[in-house]
Amino acid sequence: MMTTTQSPKGLYILGTGTDVGKTYITALWLKKLHEAGHDVAYYKAAVSGAPSISESDAGYVKQVAGLSQEDETLLSYVFDEAVSPHLAARHEGKVIDRTVVNRNFCHVVRTHTYTTVEGSGGIICPLHVTDTELYMLEDVVKDLGLPTIVVATAALGTINSTVLTVHYLQSKGIPVKGIIVNQYTGNPMEEDNCVMMERLTGIPVLDRVGPSETSLHMDVDTMLHCYEDIVNLHA
């Protein structure tokens, strides 16, 4: 439970796209902080392509990180079909409600010190679309008032997708604290990708994570400094 002497803090982890290992990195992130004795929690607005919470990205993170958090607090919406959340919701006759997302996030925040929110796919991800409404993943980040960490792959093409993601976030007034490079094997091209990402964005590469690693390399203090106080707790 959160102590009364420390303000709740939050951070949003998102990927440059689908299948870059965002959930894997989020799990290792929470695992390291939890093992260091910090009061951490996880939240994700919506996940598609999972039959239940326990079999979803959220369930994976909970298991790897060793969280005791109740399943129903991990996610607001879970859909079976592996398509964009707005389409999965539409096919099931449901609506991803902005008010519900904000309220559920704040429920988690009020009982933990460090809350980490995971995105769905890349930053340009529709959650609810009508002729007159457009609720996007970036709206979640802005509503919750969180800084971000961008997860990218080390592979060819990552310079483009990472720089575009960082610049898009910055153009929306969303702070970017760092980049984590996943699937890193240390070859010269991958290392040059990391150098170019930093040079073209001005954002540090905080970690290089190889396949099947069980822990992040970055130190806990650096991780904690990525969080910011949550100043706008929605009802």
Side-chain angles (χ1 to χ4, degrees):
M1 300 289 286
M2 188 180 69
T3 62
T4 57
T5 57
Q6 189 168 2
S7 299
K9 299 177 184 294
L11 177 68
Y12 202 104
I13 297 180
L14 56 89
T16 56
T18 304
D19 294 330
V20 299
K22 168 178 44 62
T23 300
Y24 166 65
I25 295 298
T26 302
L28 294 185
W29 181 281
L30 282 163
K31 176 176 180 278
K32 184 152 191 170
L33 292 182
H34 185 235
E35 290 177 346
H38 293 284
D39 176 28
V40 297
Y42 170 93
Y43 176 72
K44 184 168 184 171
V47 64
S48 51
S52 67
I53 294 177
S54 62
E55 297 171 273
S56 71
D57 293 349
Y60 171 82
V61 172
K62 177 180 176 178
Q63 180 181 16
V64 171
L67 304 180
S68 58
Q69 200 175 334
E70 294 295 329
D71 278 3
E72 60 267 21
T73 68
L74 300 170
L75 277 169
S76 290
Y77 298 93
V78 57
F79 305 107
D80 188 60
E81 190 179 5
V83 294
S84 179
H86 80 288
L87 192 58
R90 185 184 301 162
H91 288 172
E92 292 189 19
K94 299 176 182 176
V95 171
I96 297 177
D97 189 317
R98 192 171 191 161
T99 303
V100 170
V101 170
N102 293 342
R103 183 178 67 238
N104 290 353
F105 166 76
C106 288
H107 173 74
V108 174
V109 164
R110 290 189 180 104
T111 54
H112 296 87
T113 306
Y114 295 98
T115 299
T116 304
V117 183
E118 182 189 355
S120 305
I123 185 59
I124 304 178
C125 175
L127 298 179
H128 178 59
V129 180
T130 69
D131 290 342
T132 57
E133 296 176 283
L134 192 61
Y135 179 39
M136 302 288 291
L137 197 69
E138 68 191 66
D139 295 314
V140 177
V141 185
K142 289 187 284 189
D143 283 351
L144 307 185
L146 300 180
T148 59
I149 292 288
V150 174
V151 177
T153 71
L156 184 66
T158 193
I159 295 172
N160 180 69
S161 58
T162 305
V163 173
L164 286 174
T165 296
V166 170
H167 286 179
Y168 184 85
L169 289 165
Q170 292 172 332
S171 76
K172 299 296 182 178
I174 298 171
V176 183
K177 295 290 189 173
I179 300 164
I180 295 180
V181 176
N182 190 30
Q183 301 163 1
Y184 180 84
T185 64
N187 70 49
M189 180 201 71
E190 293 175 350
E191 181 55 31
D192 184 69
N193 284 344
C194 294
V195 171
M196 292 307 300
M197 287 179 203
E198 290 190 325
R199 179 171 180 178
L200 295 171
T201 64
I203 301 297
V205 172
L206 298 176
D207 209 342
R208 296 159 170 80
V209 183
S212 303
E213 294 205 46
T214 58
S215 180
L216 298 180
H217 310 107
M218 57 192 303
D219 65 86
V220 169
D221 284 344
T222 299
M223 297 169 69
L224 294 179
H225 280 122
C226 292
Y227 289 82
E228 289 185 1
D229 289 345
I230 297 168
V231 297
N232 186 21
L233 286 177
H234 302 268

